[in-house]
Amino acid sequence: VARRTTTAGTDYASYLLIDDLLDLQRPLTPGAPDEMLFIVMHQAYELWFKLLLWELTRARDELLGGRAHGAVAPLARVHRVEELLLAQLGVMETMSPDGFMQFRDPLAPASGFQSLQFREIEALSGRLDPTHLTSAVLGSEQRERLRARLAEPTLWNAFCACARSAGLDMPEGDASAAHAARLQALVTLYRTHGADATLSTLHHVAEQLVDHDEAIGRWRFHHGLLAAREIGTRHGTGGSMGVGYLRTTVDTRFFPELWEVRTAL
Ligand code: HEM
């Protein structure tokens, strides 16, 4: 058998575009040593957000195809990345408030408030505050991309579809009868998941969705504390009330029925 001749391939810097990547950190304020951290932190977050969207989309598509087992690996990765994102906040907290004040004003109105990928994660997961579609915080192209995301099935839609294909009564819709039917089906799932392999996998995925929901909730809470220690009660660079606004987001849940089922068991 003739051996295939290998071509030269690539190298680390070319494959990963390292020169481009390392050229993207451009502090605005000379002599503010913490600005490099601030930029690298946000860029690292956006890269992980990109992977989260990738894996959440894979999980969603597996569920839509009725393959609960196919969602397990991407959701496990999502969970590990989110643990990393939480730990990353501790790196940001090594910056003291005076260090932040040295470079904060010139970067306004830039803020995580304008992170399109964060909003896409919320939309894909199933809970986006609709005001983001109309407010001028995002640009018109970004709002268009968000609208396209909202037109896609959410993770929750996909989970319900997968549960239906496994024989559970999980109707769509906001009507109270549909809600009651879903809750009853979830009670059945949570009480009988040990009985067979399909229910067991579906239950595992439901708990992984709760992991995702809880991780983002913990991130919201911890990020609010980070903001409080950096800026006190100042307004945010994005123009919101600051910490007061962030507090209103802490109880957002992507999958409220997966929390509700606990009380009904
Ligand atoms: C010095 C550090 C930080 C401070 C003081 C801070 C502060 C704030 C404040 C006050 C808001 C509310 C919107 C506004 O008016 O700006 C906000 C929103 C946000 N920030 Fe940060 N932040 C910091 C670091 C980060 C980092 C490292 C990330 C990572 C991507 C991040 C992501 C976000 C996101 C996604 C929102 C929108 C939250 C929502 O609307 O639910 N922030 N931040």
Side-chain angles (χ1 to χ4, degrees):
V1 180
R3 288 185 63 185
R4 232 170 358 125
T5 45
T6 50
T7 49
T10 181
D11 60 47
Y12 182 79
S14 323
Y15 177 55
L16 299 169
L17 300 174
I18 299 297
D19 290 346
D20 292 341
L21 187 64
L22 299 183
D23 192 35
L24 297 175
Q25 295 70 40
R26 315 232 176 113
L28 291 178
T29 304
D34 288 340
E35 192 171 8
M36 185 57 81
L37 167 73
F38 191 78
I39 293 171
V40 169
M41 279 298 286
H42 283 84
Q43 290 183 339
Y45 263 99
E46 289 293 335
L47 285 175
W48 287 120
F49 286 166
K50 184 168 185 168
L51 186 68
L52 285 182
L53 282 165
W54 181 262
E55 301 297 344
L56 290 170
T57 304
R58 271 177 68 199
R60 192 268 320 266
D61 291 345
E62 289 294 321
L63 292 172
L64 280 178
R67 297 178 298 275
H69 55 278
V72 170
L75 289 175
R77 188 169 296 161
V78 162
H79 185 54
R80 288 303 185 108
V81 170
E82 287 172 344
E83 289 295 330
L84 208 57
L85 293 186
L86 269 154
Q88 234 172 266
L89 287 174
V91 182
M92 190 85 260
E93 285 172 333
T94 61
M95 177 172 75
S96 76
D98 56 302
F100 187 32
M101 290 312 138
Q102 287 173 7
F103 66 89
R104 182 178 190 247
D105 287 347
L107 64 86
S111 162
F113 212 32
Q114 297 170 325
S115 169
L116 174 61
Q117 291 200 107
F118 185 75
R119 298 299 169 218
E120 288 186 274
I121 290 169
E122 293 187 313
L124 182 57
S125 300
R127 214 64 10 178
L128 178 78
D129 176 347
T131 58
H132 296 303
L133 287 173
T134 48
S135 96
V137 168
L138 295 178
S140 61
E141 259 176 50
Q142 293 179 315
R143 290 201 298 268
E144 216 34 65
R145 207 168 114 185
L146 200 52
R147 227 168 255 126
R149 270 284 175 203
L150 273 181
E152 294 176 14
T154 65
L155 264 172
W156 178 244
N157 298 145
F159 177 78
C160 292
C162 193
R164 279 197 298 279
S165 71
L168 292 170
D169 181 23
M170 295 279 282
E172 297 275 0
D174 297 331
S176 63
H179 171 255
R182 284 195 299 272
L183 201 61
Q184 194 47 52
L186 288 173
V187 167
T188 305
L189 177 65
Y190 272 75
R191 283 197 180 137
T192 63
H193 64 90
D196 83 50
T198 306
L199 290 184
S200 165
T201 309
L202 206 55
H203 170 263
H204 183 52
V205 168
E207 289 296 282
Q208 287 187 301
L209 293 179
V210 174
D211 285 338
H212 168 49
D213 213 355
E214 186 177 317
I216 298 293
R218 280 154 64 209
W219 186 86
R220 290 185 201 275
F221 182 69
H222 191 163
H223 166 265
L225 290 176
L226 157 71
R229 70 187 279 170
E230 299 294 345
I231 62 170
T233 57
R234 283 183 169 81
H235 283 206
T237 47
S240 81
M241 293 291 289
V243 171
Y245 159 72
L246 292 172
R247 237 178 245 135
T248 67
T249 69
V250 165
D251 289 329
T252 306
R253 294 288 171 266
F254 295 142
F255 316 110
E257 290 170 9
L258 291 180
W259 295 91
E260 210 180 327
V261 68
R262 267 99 180 132
T263 318
L265 285 179

